[in-house]
Amino acid sequence: MDFWKDRTVLVTGAHGFTGSHLCRELLRDGAKVKALHKKDGDLENLSDIRNQLSLCEGDVLDFDGLLKHLEGVDFVFNPAAVVPVMDARKNPQRSMSVNGIGSFNVAYAAMKSGVKRMVHVSTCHVYGNLPESELPIRETATPRPGDLYAVSKYAAEIYLRPLIDEGFPVIITRAFAKYGPGQGPQYFIPRVITQLLNGKNPKLGSPKPSRDYSYVADVVKGYMLALERGKAGEIYHFSSENETCMGTVYDIIKKLLKISTEPSWNEETRPQDIMRLFGSSQKAREQLGWKPVISLEEGLKLTIDWWKSKMAKTNSAANRS
């Protein structure tokens, strides 16, 4: 905790799912947080900590603006990106610009501003569909990005390599299937939860693909450890090391909600869909001292409770209007 006390930290995409949780954990550990957010960004995820932040309106594509916001900053976290996968596919040019060039801009501006270290938040999606012989995935696996989102995120990693070679200490992280409070309803877990809470029979894709789910608070603590203890230029995974198929996740949520509703599954898969995506986090556990502490069932319960509270507040506000 003493490492972060009174350090000035810039978080890009601070109003997003990952960025907002990072801001919250950094504040808890005593950091001074500059929260970079888009001009039209929804700040709801920051509502509980907004008064504790230094809000910075900006864009990762605005290099001169980044230089201004980086004055006096010690460390940078860069989770800013066009997400989720479907949004990236719908707007490929902006995805490549923001996720690729935007990440380079952040790192280059940070280097020019005298920032000490930076963590770049990449993704496990860069691996694509790997053969069973390479599962669980290790950091040494060769990425095979299979869609625009994955390509744009891997491009960012490549763009950062010359800066790392010049001596700017960037640590690259690839988390596996983050979930938790504040994640948009277009993702699988919140989509299931919100539809069930609204009394609907969810319409979902195939129950067969598997993921390696980690609760977001565990993951962002990993990002912080990566900045504090990670080696420049290295890649670190954050994963539970437990492979869980979509159908099983649905069953856990159904059990926690104490309902028997069955979804409509669509068994068809698309060529770019990743069937099995789970990884080894041994490197982070050994080199950073990181380990996840929140189980999938516990994390899903926390996420359900958050959605219940959010929906109750929304209904209450609607009734008053």
Side-chain angles (χ1 to χ4, degrees):
M1 184 179 293
D2 289 343
F3 178 87
W4 296 102
K5 187 170 175 56
D6 296 328
R7 303 289 188 126
T8 301
V9 184
L10 180 92
V11 178
T12 69
H15 55 303
F17 171 54
T18 300
S20 61
H21 281 278
L22 255 174
C23 289
R24 201 166 285 108
E25 291 298 327
L26 286 163
L27 288 171
R28 285 188 184 127
D29 280 4
K32 299 175 181 177
V33 181
K34 299 180 76 171
L36 186 72
H37 64 92
K38 293 187 298 184
K39 182 178 181 179
D40 58 348
D42 185 348
L43 301 183
E44 182 182 1
N45 280 341
L46 299 173
S47 59
D48 60 319
I49 56 172
R50 186 168 180 168
N51 293 336
Q52 303 172 58
L53 300 168
S54 174
L55 293 172
C56 305
E57 184 181 293
D59 194 309
V60 295
L61 296 177
D62 176 10
F63 184 78
D64 291 336
L66 287 170
L67 288 173
K68 176 183 175 182
H69 292 309
L70 284 163
E71 291 179 6
V73 169
D74 296 306
F75 305 119
V76 170
F77 288 93
N78 182 46
V82 175
V83 291
V85 174
M86 292 307 297
D87 285 1
R89 291 173 183 167
K90 290 175 183 175
N91 199 339
Q93 292 93 341
R94 178 160 178 79
S95 299
M96 294 300 291
S97 295
V98 172
N99 298 357
I101 300 301
S103 295
F104 175 84
N105 282 347
V106 172
Y108 191 49
M111 184 175 75
K112 292 294 185 183
S113 301
V115 168
K116 298 178 179 69
R117 307 195 95 196
M118 170 176 151
V119 162
H120 173 66
V121 176
S122 190
T123 173
C124 63
H125 282 269
V126 301
Y127 293 113
N129 275 300
L130 293 182
E132 187 172 352
S133 60
E134 294 189 52
L135 301 176
I137 304 168
R138 298 184 179 275
E139 291 88 348
T140 53
T142 301
R144 301 174 188 175
D147 62 33
L148 285 163
Y149 172 71
V151 167
S152 69
K153 293 294 285 185
Y154 189 47
E157 295 186 24
I158 296 171
Y159 291 156
L160 296 178
R161 283 296 164 186
L163 304 184
I164 295 169
D165 292 343
E166 287 181 34
F168 182 54
V170 179
I171 300 95
I172 295 170
T173 62
R174 296 172 181 164
F176 284 71
K178 296 188 296 285
Y179 72 97
Q183 189 175 39
Q186 61 271 57
Y187 289 86
F188 179 75
I189 286 175
R191 186 164 78 247
V192 169
I193 292 171
T194 53
Q195 289 189 51
L196 288 176
L197 288 175
N198 283 319
K200 297 179 179 178
N201 287 72
K203 294 183 179 180
L204 306 171
S206 173
K208 295 177 182 178
S210 64
R211 296 293 182 264
D212 186 337
Y213 287 99
S214 293
Y215 190 67
V216 63
D218 281 336
V219 174
V220 298
K221 287 172 185 173
Y223 294 157
M224 292 166 65
L225 284 170
L227 192 141
E228 181 181 350
R229 304 174 185 176
K231 296 178 182 178
E234 291 290 317
I235 297 167
Y236 294 93
H237 286 173
F238 298 107
S239 66
S240 70
E241 299 189 340
N242 294 312
E243 183 181 18
T244 309
C245 71
M246 303 296 197
T248 299
V249 174
Y250 182 88
D251 289 340
I252 296 172
I253 294 172
K254 184 177 69 171
K255 183 186 76 172
L256 290 170
L257 288 172
K258 298 179 180 178
I259 60 176
S260 58
T261 304
E262 292 298 331
S264 297
W265 295 104
N266 180 358
E267 298 286 347
E268 293 184 11
T269 58
R270 297 160 296 190
Q272 65 267 41
D273 288 341
I274 302 174
M275 294 306 296
R276 299 180 69 191
L277 195 55
F278 75 106
S280 165
S281 51
Q282 181 180 356
K283 185 176 176 181
R285 295 170 193 244
E286 292 179 352
Q287 294 187 15
L288 308 180
W290 175 83
K291 65 176 181 179
V293 298
I294 298 174
S295 68
L296 178 57
E297 186 161 331
E298 181 184 358
L300 288 173
K301 184 179 184 305
L302 291 169
T303 307
I304 288 169
D305 290 344
W306 183 87
W307 275 106
K308 284 181 176 179
S309 176
K310 176 180 172 62
M311 293 170 72
K313 290 176 183 176
T314 301
N315 292 336
S316 177
N319 291 334
R320 289 197 303 267
S321 62

